[in-house]
Amino acid sequence: MNDNKQKAVRTAYLSIFGNMALAFAKGIAGYFGNSYALIADAIESATDVFSSVLVLFGIRYSSKPADENHPYGHGRAEALVTFAVVGFLLVSATIIAYESIHNIVTPHKTPEKFTLIVLGAIVIIKEIFYRIVSKKSDDVNSSSLKADAWHHRSDAITSAMAFIGISIAIIFGPGYETADDWAALLASFFIIYNAYMIFRPALGEILDEHLYEDVILQIRGIAKTVEGVIDTEKCFVRKTGMTYLVDLHLTVDGEITVTKGHEIAHRLKDAIQHHIPEVADVLIHIEPNP
């Protein structure tokens, strides 16, 4: 899992420095281009920097090994960090919505044409970031990285909405100056929706919700290949950080010795962890077959 941790850390750094550069570029272009939608994008990217720093902290902390006070490890810290990331999303959406409404009722100049070039580039860059971070989050099984990926996707959406709004303002001219502000307001609702999509699985992780049927099916399949295993009964999977904890009821021949049953359980545990490296521990309960 150390390799996964390093991948996650490198991906978090990519998000941090990428968001810093884009926040600066958006802010400058928005200020000189008379576009609040672009400035709103800069605000979101600035909050993304802080949320990405939180993700980095969560990855490092959740990867700490188990100790006397934390026998199951520190993995749940990652889900808590995900909640904080959702908080940043909601704050940025609120700021964008408030300022958009303010600008809608306040006369201002039509955005400059060059802001469309900036926004087009940002949409492409942010979508690339989303795909990179999302793939890495799947590779290392990280909920906080998945949240960070959705930050990039929400940024791409707000930039796309700003592109549409500014295009309308430029094409239709006087009277349509607030089109990019309406676009920013609409984008804030997309951000709130994305926040919910990030929050829901993290909440399920904290509450040990039944979310990992695919892992359970894989475990049952592996069990069938281990000599001495007759069947599997209850199988519960909990996610903690980037790893899983498994509780499994195993059926073996009721006539074998305790020692033999113990050996079968260990062989199965080794097989599961070999085929599913993300499994940190397997607690096996032996059931005798009548």
Side-chain angles (χ1 to χ4, degrees):
M1 291 306 297
N2 188 56
D3 184 48
N4 280 351
K5 175 187 173 183
Q6 292 305 317
K7 288 180 181 178
V9 167
R10 287 195 296 268
T11 304
Y13 274 120
L14 173 67
S15 289
I16 290 170
F17 291 113
N19 284 325
M20 287 176 64
L22 286 173
F24 180 77
K26 291 175 184 179
I28 294 296
Y31 178 79
F32 289 103
N34 302 316
S35 170
Y36 180 70
L38 202 45
I39 294 174
D41 251 1
I43 293 171
E44 187 188 0
S45 288
T47 60
D48 285 354
V49 172
F50 292 105
S51 65
S52 294
V53 170
L54 273 177
V55 169
L56 178 61
F57 169 77
I59 290 169
R60 289 187 178 279
Y61 187 84
S62 66
S63 299
K64 291 174 64 177
D67 55 36
E68 185 177 349
N69 291 327
H70 306 86
Y72 295 104
H74 300 75
R76 292 292 172 86
E78 195 190 19
L80 294 176
V81 166
T82 302
F83 293 153
V85 172
V86 168
F88 273 105
L89 271 176
L90 293 176
V91 168
S92 64
T94 302
I95 292 173
I96 290 171
Y98 176 82
E99 292 295 335
S100 296
I101 293 171
H102 174 75
N103 279 274
I104 287 171
V105 299
T106 304
H108 60 80
K109 297 179 181 177
T110 300
E112 299 291 339
K113 293 181 180 179
F114 76 83
T115 56
L116 292 176
I117 300 174
V118 176
L119 282 166
I122 289 170
V123 170
I124 294 171
I125 292 170
K126 274 298 188 176
E127 183 62 22
I128 291 172
F129 269 54
Y130 166 77
R131 293 177 184 273
I132 292 173
V133 178
S134 182
K135 184 179 184 304
K136 291 295 183 183
S137 70
D138 291 336
D139 290 344
V140 303
N141 201 31
S142 170
S143 59
S144 60
L145 268 187
K146 178 64 73 174
D148 208 31
W150 273 103
H151 254 164
H152 292 300
R153 170 57 67 81
S154 69
D155 213 358
I157 291 172
T158 56
S159 296
M161 296 302 297
F163 185 94
I164 295 171
I166 292 174
S167 296
I168 291 173
I170 291 174
I171 292 171
F172 292 97
Y176 288 86
E177 295 90 351
T178 61
D180 72 321
D181 303 310
W182 281 104
L185 180 61
L186 182 59
S188 69
F189 291 102
F190 277 101
I191 295 172
I192 293 171
Y193 173 75
N194 285 334
Y196 171 77
M197 295 300 291
I198 295 167
F199 171 79
R200 186 62 188 86
L203 178 64
E205 183 177 331
I206 287 288
L207 298 178
D208 288 331
E209 191 174 348
H210 180 73
L211 299 170
Y212 313 107
E213 186 63 33
D214 56 333
V215 179
I216 292 173
L217 291 175
Q218 192 175 357
I219 290 170
R220 293 193 190 280
I222 294 168
K224 293 178 181 178
T225 67
V226 176
E227 184 181 355
V229 174
I230 295 177
D231 198 5
T232 53
E233 294 183 356
K234 296 177 183 177
C235 183
F236 302 123
V237 175
R238 292 176 288 159
K239 186 171 180 290
T240 173
M242 293 182 283
T243 63
Y244 296 113
L245 299 176
V246 179
D247 296 320
L248 178 63
H249 284 219
L250 182 66
T251 303
V252 300
D253 186 351
E255 300 298 321
I256 64 175
T257 64
V258 173
T259 300
K260 184 66 175 176
H262 180 74
E263 291 173 355
I264 294 171
H266 266 282
R267 286 202 301 271
L268 176 55
K269 178 179 178 178
D270 291 341
I272 291 171
Q273 291 184 305
H274 173 73
H275 288 91
I276 314 175
E278 295 82 10
V279 172
D281 196 17
V282 185
L283 180 63
I284 298 177
H285 176 77
I286 298 293
E287 298 277 4
N289 187 50

